Amino acid sequence: MADVSIRVSRNGPYLVSGGARITDADGTPYETKETVALCRCGASTTKPFCDGTHSRIGFSAAETAVPASAE
Ligand code: FES
């Protein structure tokens, strides 16, 4: 598998890039593209994928990563 990365978008979905294989609960793979957006707000009608509903409902998530301390 390529170098997969997940970016938490501001007040929006998880952006998964690198061609990750995403499956349903039975292990059946979804047909995906190189980069996919996974719903983080819980309101998408196309879960597990984002359908843009987060913008309409005003989803807000302020968390940010805390840099690891250098010792
Ligand atoms: S994050 Fe976009 S619809 Fe949920």
Side-chain angles (χ1 to χ4, degrees), residues 2 13 17 26 32 51 58-59:
S17 59
D26 296 325
T32 59
D51 67 357
F59 175 68

Side-chain angles (χ1 to χ4, degrees), residues 30-54:
Y30 290 100
E31 189 173 318
T32 59
K33 299 179 179 174
E34 177 70 14
T35 299
V36 296
L38 297 180
C39 179
R40 185 162 65 118
C41 73
S44 174
T45 59
T46 60
K47 293 182 191 77
F49 302 103
C50 170
D51 67 357
T53 300
H54 62 272

Side-chain angles (χ1 to χ4, degrees), residues 3 7 10 15-17 19 23 35 41-42 44 70:
D3 189 19
R7 179 174 174 227
R10 191 175 309 282
L15 301 175
V16 182
S17 59
T23 66
T35 299
C41 73
S44 174

Side-chain angles (χ1 to χ4, degrees), residues 63-69:
E63 67 275 0
T64 57
V66 177
S69 61

